[in-house]
Amino acid sequence: MSPHVLVFGAWDEGPGYPRTTSILRSFHELGWEVSHCRRPSLLLGRRKAELARRPWCWPLVSLATLREKRAARAAVHREVERTKPDLVYVPYPGHTWVRAARAALTGPVLLDLFLSVHDTVVEDRRLVRAGGLAAHLLRALDRRACAAADLVLLDTEQHVARVAELTGLPLDHFACHPVGDPDAAEFAAPYEPPGTDGPLRVLFFGTGVPLHGLDVLVRAVRRCQGRVTLQVVGGSARDRAAISAAPGGAVTLLDAFVSRAELETRMRASHLVAGVFGRSRKAQLVVPFKVVHGLAAGRPVLTADTPAIRAVLRVGEEVLIAPAGDSDALALELSRLAASPALLTRVASQARSAFDRVFSAPALARRLAATLARLGFAESRVPDRTEVVRG
């Protein structure tokens, strides 16, 4: 009989939210039976960021979610009684749900923390003062959530070390599960490098949160004197206003959001995909989705030089780097790449294989199998895709 996982909580899915979709796909790849107990919540999508900017609203939000939590506790108890799961998995954002899961199940609970709410609000976005009461409450929220689970997922080993330090919990309470791209095409499109007389076409896409360092990238591109052009999909309202206020041929502002199909078209037409260039601690700890998307598309990716990037990708072969937060150094690197089509072609040729090795569905399923083995479940073998086709 296949093991059974109950997915409990409130989670985002669809375009822009690949994390939970990717992990659920790994459960399916491993042959687990999956059932859902999904709850409505105020703390989904962009509302999380909006509420994070308003700490004076947090007491009211807590009161408003009490009813949600009471209903969720009753629902998960009913579902656990009905389905008898071997494991409860609480997806991101699971801070407010994992304790209800712990109370409902005597078996193991797996939490995908994914992001520390303390580090996101206090250090990355600097919305509340470090060391203040709000920061203390957020740190306590991280710790209580992690302590309630038997094992906690984060996206990189560097992130694991940071959250273990933040919460005071042992390293073996955590496991690394990289981000994935469940909507990646099966194969990367052929790559065409820039010509000798044309500019290097760079694509940025993202929400423009501080770790992205979009302002650093825009300044760097404008210093390249026409040798580099940048297309921007998304960006924060502040980023978009700043770009609009200083128009120029080097930087083109596109829509704030595009479909995945349109994004694929933009990546195919680009010579280089931009990663992140911010200086925050979070930028040092994560491998951003945009890096993974670029690798899946078979495009060279340029991003900040961070421990998280160096831990999983070969610098200069699978990914290109520049110092974080330094627009002058980034401009020099962009100019060098504009004059190096052979280097871009060589890195592009390794991009998809890097994705397949670290971030593909089979790679992530193998990661999850090893994680589940730590919880006492026999490690499953991930089916070889050629076997599936032949069968």
Side-chain angles (χ1 to χ4, degrees):
M1 181 182 296
S2 299
H4 177 203
V5 57
L6 173 63
V7 187
F8 166 66
W11 60 92
D12 294 302
E13 61 184 6
Y17 300 100
R19 175 70 173 179
T20 300
T21 301
S22 175
I23 292 175
L24 291 181
R25 183 169 296 180
S26 292
F27 273 110
H28 286 293
E29 290 247 352
L30 295 174
W32 280 61
E33 180 184 350
V34 180
S35 60
H36 296 175
C37 181
R38 190 176 184 192
R39 306 300 303 170
S41 175
L42 294 172
L43 303 175
L44 289 178
R46 293 184 179 272
R47 283 175 293 183
K48 294 194 297 291
E50 292 169 1
L51 291 169
R53 295 188 187 97
R54 302 171 183 172
W56 58 89
C57 293
W58 295 354
L60 292 176
V61 172
S62 296
L63 289 173
T65 57
L66 280 177
R67 184 176 297 176
E68 286 181 3
K69 292 177 185 178
R70 283 196 294 268
R73 282 196 294 268
V76 71
H77 274 278
R78 288 195 302 269
E79 201 63 20
V80 164
E81 182 63 27
R82 185 181 71 84
T83 63
K84 304 292 192 296
D86 301 289
L87 171 73
V88 172
Y89 160 56
V90 182
Y92 170 80
H95 285 75
T96 60
W97 307 103
V98 63
R99 296 172 75 187
R102 171 76 289 153
L105 187 72
T106 56
V109 174
L110 178 66
L111 168 67
D112 182 27
L113 189 78
F114 187 47
L115 298 175
S116 154
V117 67
H118 172 277
D119 283 0
T120 298
V121 174
V122 179
E123 296 199 357
D124 185 46
R125 304 194 184 185
R126 299 182 180 180
L127 300 175
V128 300
R129 181 174 61 85
L133 176 60
H136 175 76
L137 292 173
L138 293 173
R139 184 170 184 162
L141 180 60
D142 279 331
R143 192 187 191 290
R144 284 198 303 271
C146 292
D150 293 278
L151 201 59
V152 179
L153 300 180
L154 290 154
D155 57 329
T156 68
E157 297 291 356
Q158 292 71 29
H159 215 166
V160 164
R162 165 56 185 163
V163 175
E165 173 195 28
L166 180 73
T167 60
L169 296 169
L171 280 171
D172 63 7
H173 194 73
F174 301 88
C176 174
H177 192 88
V179 297
D181 184 0
D183 297 318
E186 187 174 0
F187 302 104
Y191 177 72
E192 290 291 335
T196 56
D197 57 348
L200 174 72
R201 296 193 299 270
V202 181
L203 176 67
F204 170 90
F205 50 91
T207 58
V209 295
L211 78 90
H212 290 171
L214 178 55
D215 57 331
V216 176
L217 176 61
V218 169
R219 287 196 301 271
V221 168
R222 285 177 168 158
R223 289 172 186 170
C224 290
Q225 300 178 337
R227 289 169 293 183
V228 179
T229 63
L230 172 66
Q231 290 189 327
V232 175
V233 174
S236 68
R238 179 179 295 181
D239 290 327
R240 294 179 70 83
I243 293 169
S244 298
V251 182
T252 303
L253 197 60
L254 303 178
D255 292 340
F257 180 83
V258 299
S259 68
R260 182 57 190 264
E262 174 66 14
L263 181 60
E264 292 287 346
T265 299
R266 295 287 180 184
M267 284 195 287
R268 283 196 297 271
S270 299
H271 301 130
L272 185 68
V273 170
V276 303
F277 305 99
R279 286 185 182 272
S280 71
R281 187 204 299 260
K282 184 176 172 184
Q284 300 292 308
L285 301 178
V286 302
V287 176
F289 284 128
K290 54 179 54 50
V291 170
V292 178
H293 292 333
L295 295 174
R299 292 305 178 262
V301 176
L302 174 64
T303 193
D305 183 1
T306 69
I309 288 291
R310 285 183 175 271
V312 294
L313 297 171
R314 294 191 291 271
V315 170
E317 299 178 37
E318 298 172 331
V319 69
L320 299 160
I321 59 170
D326 189 333
S327 56
D328 290 331
L330 182 55
L332 287 174
E333 181 63 12
L334 287 168
S335 296
R336 181 180 80 94
L337 294 174
S340 308
L343 172 60
L344 289 168
T345 301
R346 187 165 66 250
V347 174
S349 71
Q350 298 299 310
R352 180 62 192 227
S353 61
F355 169 82
D356 289 338
R357 186 185 78 252
V358 182
F359 307 108
S360 66
L364 295 179
R366 286 190 291 271
R367 279 272 193 171
L368 184 62
T371 296
L372 294 171
R374 291 174 56 183
L375 292 172
F377 300 101
E379 189 162 341
S380 304
R381 175 174 170 268
V382 181
D384 187 285
R385 295 195 182 280
T386 58
E387 292 178 3
V388 174
V389 172
R390 289 171 187 161

